[in-house]
Amino acid sequence: MTGLRTRIAGVAAAAVFAFAGQALAQGAAGPDTVAAIRARGSLICGVAINSAGFALPDSRGEFRGLDVDTCRAVAVAILGDATKVRFVPNTSVQRFPMLQSGELDMLARNTTWTLGRETSLGLAFAGINFYDGQGFMVRRNANVTSARQLDGATVCVQPGTTTELNLADYFRTNRMRFTPVVIENVEEIRAAFTSGRCDAYTNDASSLASFRATQQNPNDFVLLPEIISKEPLGPAVRKGDWRFFDIVRWALYAQIAAEELGITSANVEEMARTSQNPDVQRLLGRSGDLGRSMGLSNDWALQIIRQVGNYGEMYERNITPIGIPRGVNNLWNNGGLHYAPPIR
């Protein structure tokens, strides 16, 4: 009887190993986004159409912003060059189909990480580059100081976003009525709000601040104090290519870790030469083989920091000018939520 049990256990184990081998073989034959990026010589990254602080062309037509820098960091990791990115602006309705179809390698577009999006759309979020929340904006001359005063209001809102659901939930919870004005195009919805077609405009608070910062008279508009949702924004990729997922995730964490360790674009070369801190040595590729474990050069993080900067530098360059304080987007040891897992 013992011999029979042993034979059964052996057959079961063989079946498990066979299944694992088959799964590995299938995985090896799956999508290889990194190879495609290297073959074409550029990363294709989906960004917002017009979002100051996150993705907006400057006077020379070059994209600038936090999401833009998130894409550039990935390009550095894979191609060694922050300029090797093709930015593809898209609407909130277009973004997921474009990523799913392979038109984009990754999406960094003020996109909220939710369970539904990750489980039903075939996407995986690689991290959080900005902690946000949904708010409301009104014209100053409306003399509205709280969202609780918006009962019966018309509210401008974009379709295909978590914003629609949050808006309905907020008004229903507070037993208030509203009339949505649903417009997909970001310029059209902002024009509708400024022209008085809607009493209020709702979006992520960062997007509202971005919009206000680009107006001729920013003080004509007021951000109401209520934040009605959690909106963790971050880069998304297609599920199934986990090597590319790892690179996108750890490129962001490398920038957060660099700020934690006091490594900046200005001192990264010196830190690589002189620091005896084991965490610094591992991050900058002076010890260990962490880069090669992802199919990258061991100085991948050093190059990201040299060319793009640490997370704090990205924030200061892109978000501070539109008037959003660090707050929850500070490091964990500075009262915020950003925290990099150990890079070792």
Side-chain angles (χ1 to χ4, degrees):
M1 195 67 178
T2 301
L4 178 59
R5 288 198 187 100
T6 302
R7 287 195 299 274
I8 291 172
V11 170
V16 168
F17 284 119
F19 178 80
Q22 182 182 20
L24 286 170
Q26 289 172 345
D32 191 340
T33 309
V34 174
I37 291 167
R38 286 175 172 159
R40 84 169 78 93
S42 64
L43 169 76
I44 303 175
C45 192
V47 295
I49 291 174
N50 182 2
S51 183
F54 292 86
L56 186 69
D58 64 14
S59 59
R60 296 182 298 172
E62 293 185 20
F63 274 90
R64 305 288 180 190
L66 186 76
D67 286 339
V68 167
D69 282 346
T70 297
C71 301
R72 292 197 192 281
V74 176
V76 173
I78 296 173
L79 299 170
D81 189 338
T83 69
K84 300 295 185 183
V85 187
R86 179 157 66 88
F87 296 102
V88 180
N90 51 81
T91 69
S92 56
V93 172
Q94 294 169 333
R95 56 184 169 174
F96 297 130
M98 290 180 74
L99 181 58
Q100 290 165 329
S101 69
E103 292 178 69
L104 308 172
D105 296 319
M106 63 178 286
L107 186 70
R109 192 206 171 281
N110 306 85
T111 299
T112 302
W113 182 356
T114 71
L115 182 150
R117 287 174 172 176
E118 194 159 80
T119 58
S120 65
L121 297 180
L123 308 179
F125 284 80
I128 298 169
N129 70 347
F130 192 86
Y131 289 93
D132 210 347
Q134 186 173 329
F136 294 92
M137 179 179 285
V138 296
R139 290 177 297 281
R140 185 174 295 277
N141 60 16
N143 294 317
V144 172
T145 58
S146 167
R148 297 297 294 273
Q149 296 173 261
L150 295 176
D151 190 16
T154 55
V155 183
C156 278
V157 61
Q158 284 183 281
T161 65
T162 56
T163 312
E164 281 186 292
L165 177 61
N166 296 335
L167 175 64
D169 286 350
Y170 179 78
F171 274 78
R172 183 168 55 250
T173 299
N174 290 288
R175 298 183 179 180
M176 295 160 53
R177 297 170 296 106
F178 76 101
T179 301
V181 177
V182 181
I183 303 173
E184 179 182 352
N185 182 278
V186 66
E187 297 301 333
E188 290 179 13
I189 197 169
R190 290 172 173 177
F193 169 62
T194 55
S195 69
R197 186 176 166 190
C198 356
D199 301 311
Y201 174 27
T202 187
N203 207 329
D204 292 346
S206 63
S207 179
L208 297 176
S210 169
F211 161 66
R212 185 175 63 178
T214 61
Q215 298 306 293
Q216 187 173 358
N217 297 302
N219 287 332
D220 288 348
F221 306 97
V222 176
L223 271 167
L224 298 180
E226 289 85 358
I227 297 296
I228 67 170
S229 69
K230 294 185 294 185
E231 305 294 333
L233 310 181
V237 300
R238 290 179 296 280
K239 282 184 177 177
D241 188 344
W242 299 113
R243 179 164 74 121
F244 183 54
F245 171 86
D246 286 344
I247 293 170
V248 176
R249 163 170 281 182
W250 288 99
L252 174 59
Y253 281 144
Q255 292 179 290
I256 295 171
E259 186 180 6
E260 291 178 325
L261 293 166
I263 306 171
T264 69
S265 57
N267 68 17
V268 64
E269 300 285 357
E270 180 185 357
M271 292 284 279
R273 288 194 306 271
T274 64
S275 176
Q276 299 302 307
N277 184 328
D279 289 331
V280 172
Q281 291 180 342
R282 282 189 289 266
L283 178 65
L284 301 184
R286 291 303 184 256
S287 66
D289 252 351
L290 294 176
R292 289 195 180 93
S293 71
M294 295 189 291
L296 306 174
S297 64
N298 277 336
D299 69 345
W300 63 283
L302 185 153
Q303 295 302 326
I304 288 173
I305 299 158
R306 185 174 67 82
Q307 296 184 45
V308 184
N310 66 31
Y311 181 83
E313 290 179 276
M314 287 202 305
Y315 197 100
E316 191 67 26
R317 181 167 61 239
N318 299 303
I319 306 301
T320 298
I322 65 173
I324 303 177
R326 282 288 296 262
V328 293
N329 284 290
N330 228 314
L331 296 179
W332 66 279
N333 54 7
N334 225 0
L337 297 176
H338 282 294
Y339 186 112
I343 298 181
R344 59 173 181 258

